[in-house]
Amino acid sequence: MRRVALIVNPYASRVDDESTEGVRDVLRRVAEVTVMRTERRGHGVELASVLRGDLDAVVVYSGDGGFNEVLNGLRDPVPIGFVPGGGASVLPRALGLPRDPVEAAQELADALEVGRTRRISLGRVNGRRFTFSAGIGLDAELVRRVDERGRDEEHGRAGDLWFAVAAGKLLFERRGRLDPVLEVEGHGRAAFALVANADPYSYAGPLPLRIAPEARFELGLDLVAPRAIRPRVLARYAGYALFGRGQQRAEDIIYAHDADRIVVRCDEPQPLQADGEDLGDVSEAVFEAERDAVAVLV
């Protein structure tokens, strides 16, 4: 009989007892399932670190933060699957899984039964793994502002609306201007830097944000770093994000594709995020590609 560890984040915005039972029951069709629940931030790293290679798979039912924690805790090369339980759940959506958790679990169970996996790369920033995106400056500041609203046991993290509100407020405070405050090694000055391991970079509700349209899970890292932000370019940059065209040729945007290493140095410490998790302020960020890092159930 196959053995699966199901790690559940009960505080994720779309996770509850009923859906957890549904996910577990679906997986039980093909495996013996041990359920492990996180109790606090960072607990996913601890739970994953004690898992060993005698498992046939690890399945995580959470939002993107929980997925990130488990991937940072895994020590043995065991296949892993992701069930969407957060408001955005960018990773499973980018891997092509349904948004409904039970339907996603059914696809993972089918994949486990026939041994269907996909090898993907991961990113690292200052040693911390990330799955789809990381950034220094603007987007990390937005993550922090939304987190400052707090998370509650019932609803989890604030949703897309609050990110939009935070972005509008930040740009209003700075009068639509963001000056260069970073040095991207080998490329020059930038206002902020976005690093993608996949396309899309994230989602705004149902809309994919195509920040780095050439990024792929099987490749290295892509970089998008505007040299400066001024009010006159905001509409053009919004178009880039929504349609994924043009930034590779724009002279006021630094773009790199399929990179193994990206080094960013700050004039003064800037906020850093990975997979939507605030990693604090840093003076330097070293982004590295971890190619062919993990097998995922798809």
Side-chain angles (χ1 to χ4, degrees):
M1 186 68 171
R2 300 178 186 86
R3 298 179 62 241
V4 170
L6 172 61
I7 298 178
V8 179
N9 175 10
Y11 303 105
S13 58
R14 299 175 63 219
V15 175
D16 55 31
D17 290 341
E18 182 179 357
S19 61
T20 298
E21 290 180 8
V23 169
R24 180 196 59 194
D25 290 346
V26 167
L27 294 174
R28 278 179 171 172
R29 282 198 300 107
V30 298
E32 175 185 326
V33 179
T34 300
V35 179
M36 310 166 73
R37 290 178 170 83
T38 62
E39 299 174 356
R40 59 190 178 277
R41 188 171 184 177
H43 196 200
V45 177
E46 298 173 26
L47 293 179
S49 68
V50 302
L51 301 177
R52 293 296 175 257
D54 56 342
L55 290 169
D56 293 281
V58 176
V59 174
V60 190
Y61 182 24
S62 176
D64 289 306
F67 304 147
N68 182 283
E69 287 188 7
V70 172
L71 281 167
N72 274 280
L74 279 179
R75 298 290 179 264
D76 286 353
V78 56
I80 185 167
F82 307 99
V83 177
S89 294
V90 176
L91 178 58
R93 292 167 74 182
L95 288 169
L97 289 165
R99 294 204 68 183
D100 180 83
V102 174
E103 291 180 9
Q106 289 172 341
E107 293 206 8
L108 296 182
D110 292 342
L112 178 60
E113 192 169 32
V114 300
R116 185 173 62 244
T117 62
R118 174 183 175 185
R119 300 292 306 187
I120 68 170
S121 299
L122 297 174
R124 287 184 181 269
V125 56
N126 293 357
R128 172 77 177 228
R129 275 178 159 178
F130 62 92
T131 62
F132 57 91
S133 72
I136 184 166
L138 176 63
D139 72 329
E141 175 68 21
L142 296 179
V143 166
R144 179 171 300 172
R145 291 189 178 203
V146 171
D147 279 349
E148 285 172 354
R149 292 192 67 254
R151 303 178 187 225
D152 61 60
E153 187 168 328
E154 182 178 359
H155 299 104
R157 187 191 216 169
D160 296 324
L161 174 61
W162 283 104
F163 275 94
V165 170
K169 185 176 180 181
L170 185 150
L171 291 171
F172 177 78
E173 291 170 358
R174 302 183 186 180
R175 299 182 180 181
R177 296 174 60 94
L178 294 175
D179 294 320
V181 294
L182 310 173
E183 180 73 23
V184 183
E185 187 175 273
H187 295 280
R189 305 280 291 166
F192 59 91
L194 309 175
V195 177
N197 189 48
D199 174 50
Y201 184 86
S202 186
Y203 289 86
L207 297 176
L209 299 181
R210 312 292 305 283
I211 301 296
E214 295 181 353
R216 296 292 181 270
F217 278 121
E218 288 78 12
L219 301 178
L221 302 175
D222 280 28
L223 166 73
V224 178
R227 296 188 183 277
I229 297 291
R230 298 292 181 264
R232 67 179 182 276
V233 305
L234 290 176
R236 174 162 58 93
Y237 286 179
Y240 290 163
L242 290 173
F243 301 111
R245 297 193 299 270
Q247 65 265 55
Q248 304 96 315
R249 298 181 298 277
E251 294 182 358
D252 56 350
I253 297 178
I254 299 169
Y255 189 84
H257 173 59
D258 194 18
D260 282 299
R261 181 179 170 91
I262 300 163
V263 180
V264 178
R265 299 184 179 88
C266 312
D267 296 350
E268 57 185 35
Q270 296 290 320
L272 176 69
Q273 69 87 14
D275 287 344
E277 295 297 298
D278 186 353
L279 302 185
D281 290 350
V282 299
S283 297
E284 180 179 273
V286 179
F287 302 88
E288 298 172 295
E290 187 180 346
R291 295 180 185 262
D292 195 31
V294 65
V296 297
L297 298 168
V298 292

